[in-house]
Amino acid sequence: MIQNPQLNITQNPHSKRKNGWFSDTWRRLRKNRLAIVGLIILILMILIAIFAPWVAPYGYDDQNIKAAMIFPCKEYPFGTDNFGRDILSRVIYGSRISMQVGLISVGIALMAGGILGAVAAYFSHMDNIIMRTIDVFMAIPDMLLAIAIAASLGAGMRNLMIAVGVSNVPRFARVVRAAVLTVKEQEFVEAARSIGSSNLRIITTDILPNCLSQIIVQATLGVASAIILGSSLSYLGFGIQAPLPEWGAMLSAGRVYIRTHWYMTVIPGLAIMLAVYALNVLGDGLRDALDPRLKN
Amino acid sequence: MLKYIVKRLLMVIPVLLGVTIIIFTILYFAPGDPAVMALGEGTPEAALEAYRVEMGINGTYIERLVRYVGNVARGDLGLSFQSRKPVVSELMQRIPQTLTMATWGIILATVLGVFLGIVSATRQYSFWDTIATIGALFGVSMPMFWQGLMLILIFSVHFNFFPASGFSSVKHMIMPISALGIQISANIMRSTRSSMLDVLRQDYIRTARSKGQKESRVIMGHALKNAMIPVVTVIGVQFSKMLAGSVIIESIFSIPGIGKYMIDAINARNYAAVQGSVLLIAFTGCILNLAVDIMYTFIDPRLKTIFETKRHRKKVA
């Protein structure tokens, strides 16, 4: 909080600026129709994920062998699978898993990558060692790194999130480093240093808030690619296992019946696409809204 | 210039050393004893140990790591746990399929992506621009494996145009290459569009137009050449992404390439083969990045000065 006795400013200028930042961003974002569509889809999906037990007509593992392999009809809008489980309910419950995988793995990547990137940018003697290590990790495509980690840790949701998260660390480290490097040279950082702020305080209160817009954009797009990576790994069998209704695992199960039951490979894929599309248009919209200079 | 290439080639070595150590370490902790997997439960300990010595997987972590890195440096990726053949020769048999697929995939993606990018940048906010932009966003949002499944569903199951698996003829190759290329082309289209829009606002484009240059010449000659500079980087990055994507596409279309080899190897706990595949893909990626950097100097002559020695630069000045 800045106090200026001469001007007798009483309100907290920091909170006012934050308000302005939010309303400015929102005002610009609102004009982007596509981004708003993405935001609405996303909010709906999050609500569906939260209220899955109330929204879904059946449980995700309610087997009814008599009603197996039924094509989409009134009773089962998206049909049933080989165990007679309602695909609509499974897709609804699947949104819980994909959202969790996306958010938590990006959380892991952002924490680890953010610390590494900020340290590398702020303490220049650490820059070389950290970034060369990051370069080595970047040389392994993220899908292969994630597969290797998932294969080593074993299947399961927690391990999948770790695998996807770790393979995304280099990407976030680079983004945060680049952002911190540009902010670091600004006068207010020097000002903070001159009044004796500690390094930790400068990084957390002066530098990171000013990098926030870039980080938000990358995190939004990162969740989208984490959902794709997570479902790809589950498709290959290195992620979430039956009977959990992961979208990629559902596609993998439906692959066997592709010649006879098309809906089993179409519907879970549409769900992935919808979620990822919403996140991508929102991310693009946020980039334009948060940094109008970049807009075409 | 030559000095620069050699220098960059030498810089690949520490990266590959790092990649080797990382992959080795990750898979060192993988569950399952390869010796038990290969010889079966209940095999006497002496036989297991003999197998481990034969495969070079005996000893402590450090011993094994040092031995493995030494072997890799000599171009030996170890023996495949199941077949007991060298991983290198098994990979060599599979490189052509993966490379054919990735090369045609990147050609398709580049042609399609750059074309659509130019069309939508030169007609910004038009009907075609909207269609192409929204289409590209959908392309980016579809997981590659689902694109492959949908291609099978439409062109193999429904219309029966193309076979759903295998890689023996052109007809077999069309679907996997499209599945790889479509998503990548969406990425290339998006970066071509934004880079092109940027360039089209530059003064020299206005100059070119005002001197009465034909519009096609302005776009193809003046704008595209400059707009391609950032796009080349994207294409380079996407090529390594495509090699990784081949893991998925090869499993879907049952193509006997490096990707499928790697997935099969993981399921069989054949970690020497997994390490070899990842190393090969990472190595190819490094070489490609180097190639892209060198290509830069041809596209952007401004960068040539970087490679000139100090003495030479002074002479020019």
Side-chain angles (χ1 to χ4, degrees), chain B residues 41-190:
Chain B
E41 299 272 352
T43 315
E45 184 55 36
L48 290 178
E49 194 52 35
Y51 177 83
R52 288 194 197 108
V53 173
E54 186 197 339
M55 292 294 136
I57 49 169
N58 57 324
T60 61
Y61 167 73
I62 296 291
E63 279 171 34
R64 280 179 57 184
L65 177 63
V66 170
R67 194 186 311 140
Y68 187 69
V69 170
N71 286 342
V72 170
R74 271 176 270 137
D76 174 13
L77 294 173
L79 295 178
S80 167
F81 292 169
Q82 265 78 28
S83 64
R84 302 199 188 186
K85 281 183 198 142
V87 171
V88 174
S89 64
E90 292 197 332
L91 282 174
M92 283 300 168
Q93 285 169 11
R94 290 165 173 86
I95 288 178
Q97 284 87 323
T98 304
L99 219 53
T100 314
M101 199 167 74
T103 310
W104 283 109
I106 202 78
I107 291 173
L108 172 77
T110 309
V111 171
L112 198 68
V114 170
F115 174 74
L116 289 176
I118 295 173
V119 167
S120 82
T122 48
R123 295 167 181 74
Q124 198 184 5
Y125 303 128
S126 70
F127 173 72
W128 292 112
D129 178 33
T130 317
I131 294 286
T133 320
I134 293 180
L137 250 172
F138 271 110
V140 174
S141 306
M142 274 192 268
M144 219 180 241
F145 66 94
W146 190 57
Q147 273 175 22
L149 289 176
M150 289 303 98
L151 287 175
I152 292 180
L153 191 62
I154 295 168
F155 294 106
S156 185
V157 176
H158 194 73
F159 290 115
N160 212 1
F161 280 161
F162 305 117
S165 62
F167 205 61
S168 47
S169 71
V170 176
K171 234 178 161 184
H172 286 89
M173 294 180 194
I174 289 175
M175 282 205 299
I177 288 170
S178 316
L180 265 183
I182 290 171
Q183 184 166 35
I184 308 289
S185 79
N187 281 323
I188 294 176
M189 178 265 165
R190 278 154 60 92

Side-chain angles (χ1 to χ4, degrees), chain B residues 234-308:
Chain B
V234 175
I235 295 173
V237 172
Q238 297 296 326
F239 200 100
S240 355
K241 208 176 149 187
M242 194 170 268
L243 287 173
S246 68
V247 172
I248 289 236
I249 296 299
E250 285 174 10
S251 333
I252 289 178
F253 292 96
S254 331
I255 297 165
I258 296 168
K260 189 162 185 302
Y261 179 65
M262 181 184 150
I263 298 296
D264 293 345
I266 291 180
N267 288 328
R269 307 219 182 287
N270 185 356
Y271 296 122
V274 181
Q275 284 163 7
S277 321
V278 176
L279 271 180
L280 181 66
I281 292 177
F283 177 72
T284 318
C286 284
I287 298 296
L288 276 168
N289 271 327
L290 176 63
V292 166
D293 281 358
I294 293 168
M295 232 160 86
Y296 257 1
T297 54
F298 293 103
I299 307 173
D300 191 356
R302 282 171 294 184
L303 286 175
K304 269 212 178 119
T305 50
I306 299 171
F307 309 122
E308 279 160 5

Side-chain angles (χ1 to χ4, degrees), chain A residues 46-248:
Chain A
I46 291 172
L47 287 177
I48 287 176
I50 294 171
F51 297 106
W54 292 275
V55 183
Y58 305 89
Y60 67 80
D61 199 24
D62 286 357
Q63 301 188 4
N64 181 2
I65 298 295
K66 276 185 215 142
M69 313 293 267
I70 294 177
F71 273 77
C73 60
K74 232 183 222 163
E75 205 178 340
Y76 301 102
F78 290 166
T80 62
D81 67 4
N82 47 330
F83 293 110
R85 296 177 295 198
D86 177 40
I87 290 182
L88 173 65
S89 307
R90 286 178 68 71
V91 168
I92 289 173
Y93 276 98
S95 65
R96 283 186 157 186
I97 295 176
S98 288
M99 291 285 163
Q100 274 183 66
V101 170
L103 289 173
I104 296 177
S105 56
V106 166
I108 295 171
L110 197 56
M111 286 273 261
I115 292 171
L116 285 173
V119 168
Y122 192 77
F123 303 102
S124 26
H125 60 280
M126 301 283 281
D127 193 33
N128 229 329
I129 175 114
I130 292 180
M131 291 324 285
R132 290 299 80 78
T133 315
I134 295 287
D135 282 348
V136 172
F137 274 93
M138 293 286 270
I140 311 171
D142 56 354
M143 166 117 54
L144 298 190
L145 189 58
I147 289 177
I149 297 173
S152 180
L153 292 175
M157 188 159 165
R158 196 197 52 178
N159 292 343
L160 178 70
M161 291 190 292
I162 295 174
V164 174
V166 171
S167 63
N168 270 309
V169 168
R171 170 182 170 166
F172 282 100
R174 280 202 163 176
V175 169
V176 172
R177 174 177 174 269
V180 171
L181 275 180
T182 52
V183 175
K184 193 182 129 187
E185 303 299 328
Q186 312 243 324
E187 275 111 356
F188 60 82
V189 175
E190 211 167 312
R193 198 172 293 134
S194 70
I195 58 168
S197 300
S198 67
N199 283 331
L200 186 68
R201 191 184 156 83
I202 292 175
I203 291 179
T204 51
T205 64
D206 295 301
I207 292 183
L208 284 183
N210 284 291
C211 302
L212 209 58
S213 41
Q214 288 174 61
I215 295 173
I216 289 174
V217 172
Q218 285 303 320
T220 314
L221 299 173
V223 174
S225 55
I227 289 179
I228 289 194
L229 191 54
S231 64
S232 305
L233 255 65
S234 296
Y235 177 84
L236 290 172
F238 302 125
I240 284 150
Q241 305 285 305
L244 283 179
E246 207 279 337
W247 293 333

